[in-house]
Amino acid sequence: MSKPIIIVKFGTAAITRPSGEPDLEIMKRIAAEVAEVHDAYRVIIVSSGAVGAGKSFIKRYKGSLSQRKAAASIGNPLLINIYSEVFKPYGIPIAQGLCERRHFAHRAQFLQLKDTFEELWRNGVIPIVNENDVVSDRELKFSDNDELATLLAAGFGAEALMLCTSVGGVLDEAGEIVSKVSDVKEVFRFVRTDKSFLGLGGMASKLTFAKMATKMGIRVVIFGMRESQGLLKALKGLAGTELLSHKSTLSARNRWLGSGGLISGKLQVDAGAERAILKRNSLLAVGVTSVTGDFESGEIVEVSNPDGTAIAVARAKIASAELLQNMKTLNYEVANANDIVLL
Ligand SMILES: N[C@@H](CCC(=O)OP(=O)(O)O)C(=O)O
């Protein structure tokens, strides 16, 4: 049987000194702990920190979009070199994967990503993923690397999504780490919305994506690396905040479909089409009342009922332009029942 997959995401604040430079001690600890679980799991590391690692090279850095992108393009190779060095003592080669949102919007592209990582794992290599900041533009970028890590966890059918933060977990009113959470709603009220200067996500973002992952049957642990054994303890549920997964009967393909973050367009349907979808039938053009966004055949759309409540996500069989021309056509399939996941 193949080894389970874990996604381990390190946020900027978790691996960066206050000056913005990568914290070598923490990164050595990451390598040591990941090396310990390398035989038991197929690991994907998602690492932020490129902007922090490169920003000192940008004159009068103020954090504008172009400065962040330039800083990331300088910082990414620096960061990946450090990872390569810290994993060397364990004989583990690492590889870099730079992803954009569109790589997740098409099943075929995602399957290529999967094949590439499978090949890396067969060769004992750990892929380290970051957003392709240099080219991802305002609309096409991930909201942050928590989203990227969640999409990878959903698409790869990961057993666990490990989100490393500087705080070490979700803190309650008394400042204590909440250890186990069965419903993410329970801890949302503790969350402050401020985030670190260099990173993009914060605790609210982590919990939003954690909720999505737990619904898909993925265990999520928010943990820290400031103390040794942080990852190892968190994997055993002995440190950080563990968000328990819900039972999921979705196939890997439908988890990927249902992960929501990939949505390229939105469709509103009438009451008849809503009933049909809820009875697990296909979606026909005649039931679509409005089309938002510009999507291609094969991309993911959100489907909402006449009240505007999202009821499903679906892989569109036709592009938005073709749908707009055939809105009133009977028996014109927009999404096949097998490509619709109810929310
Ligand atoms: N891609 C950017 C990081 C973006 C990001 O999501 O940061 P964080 O919220 O710290 O995980 C970088 O490498 O600096």
Side-chain angles (χ1 to χ4, degrees):
M1 213 182 80
S2 48
K3 293 188 279 181
I5 295 171
I6 54 170
I7 314 293
V8 193
K9 185 253 171 180
F10 298 100
T12 306
I15 58 160
T16 304
R17 293 177 183 282
S19 60
E21 265 124 64
D23 188 326
L24 198 56
E25 286 316 304
I26 299 268
M27 292 180 72
K28 281 184 183 163
R29 197 175 294 157
I30 289 172
E33 295 188 23
V34 171
E36 270 201 47
V37 298
H38 187 223
D39 283 340
Y41 294 100
R42 286 174 287 165
V43 182
I44 299 176
I45 292 177
V46 175
S47 181
S48 304
V51 173
K55 81 176 176 48
S56 64
F57 296 86
I58 303 293
K59 295 179 185 124
R60 292 179 287 283
Y61 183 84
K62 294 261 183 352
S64 71
L65 192 68
S66 61
Q67 284 182 324
R68 285 181 65 90
K69 289 189 173 297
S73 65
I74 301 165
N76 244 326
L78 298 174
L79 198 62
I80 211 77
N81 267 332
I82 299 176
Y83 275 115
S84 172
E85 287 304 316
V86 293
F87 272 101
K88 215 174 256 168
Y90 307 96
I92 301 175
I94 56 101
Q96 183 171 42
L98 295 175
C99 290
E100 294 162 42
R101 179 178 269 277
R102 68 191 167 91
H103 299 146
F104 290 84
H106 265 104
R107 183 74 178 151
Q109 281 200 320
F110 182 74
L111 289 177
Q112 180 56 63
L113 175 81
K114 225 171 164 181
D115 277 0
T116 307
F117 284 10
E118 292 286 356
E119 189 64 48
L120 290 169
W121 285 326
R122 275 195 291 278
N123 286 280
V125 181
I126 295 179
I128 301 186
V129 181
N130 197 353
E131 175 160 15
N132 191 0
D133 287 291
V134 181
V135 293
S136 55
D137 63 18
R138 286 178 189 82
E139 280 174 19
L140 294 178
K141 72 188 303 306
F142 300 103
S143 61
D144 56 46
N145 274 348
D146 297 318
E147 181 181 17
L148 170 55
T150 306
L151 293 179
L152 287 166
F156 276 85
E159 181 187 278
L161 169 63
M162 312 294 296
L163 299 174
C164 179
T165 77
S166 52
V167 192
V170 181
L171 305 180
D172 63 16
E173 296 105 323
E176 301 288 332
I177 291 181
V178 183
S179 60
K180 297 237 185 298
V181 177
S182 50
D183 184 348
V184 176
K185 265 189 262 157
E186 292 163 23
V187 288
F188 253 115
R189 64 198 164 95
F190 299 139
V191 174
R192 298 194 335 225
T193 48
D194 50 342
K195 42 194 167 189
S196 64
F197 173 58
L198 291 165
L200 288 178
M203 193 54 81
S205 152
K206 276 177 188 54
L207 289 178
T208 305
F209 291 113
K211 189 172 159 201
M212 196 190 277
T214 55
K215 271 191 175 172
M216 288 185 277
I218 302 165
R219 180 169 81 99
V220 181
V221 189
I222 301 175
F223 72 104
M225 284 300 285
R226 298 280 159 202
E227 280 164 37
S228 69
Q229 307 276 300
L231 172 63
L232 298 175
K233 283 187 189 161
L235 264 173
K236 292 182 190 145
L238 301 174
T241 301
E242 179 168 0
L243 302 132
L244 305 171
S245 63
H246 299 227
K247 274 214 167 62
S248 170
T249 50
L250 295 179
S251 66
R253 182 173 180 282
N254 280 353
R255 280 189 201 201
W256 172 81
L257 269 178
S259 56
L262 332 152
I263 287 163
S264 307
K266 295 192 177 179
L267 305 179
Q268 191 158 22
V269 299
D270 62 19
E274 179 184 11
R275 275 196 301 278
I277 289 173
L278 295 178
K279 283 192 201 150
R280 314 232 171 236
N281 290 314
S282 301
L283 172 62
L284 303 180
V286 70
V288 177
T289 51
S290 84
V291 180
T292 317
D294 195 8
F295 54 86
E296 294 299 323
S297 145
E299 291 190 347
I300 310 300
V301 292
E302 185 180 275
V303 183
S304 58
N305 67 11
D307 304 333
T309 308
I311 54 165
V313 288
R315 191 164 67 87
K317 223 172 143 180
I318 53 173
S320 50
E322 193 180 336
L323 172 58
L324 285 167
Q325 279 170 12
N326 291 283
M327 291 277 275
K328 300 273 177 269
T329 315
L330 283 172
N331 297 333
Y332 204 82
E333 202 172 81
V334 180
N336 186 270
N338 293 329
D339 290 332
I340 301 176
V341 178
L342 299 180
L343 295 175

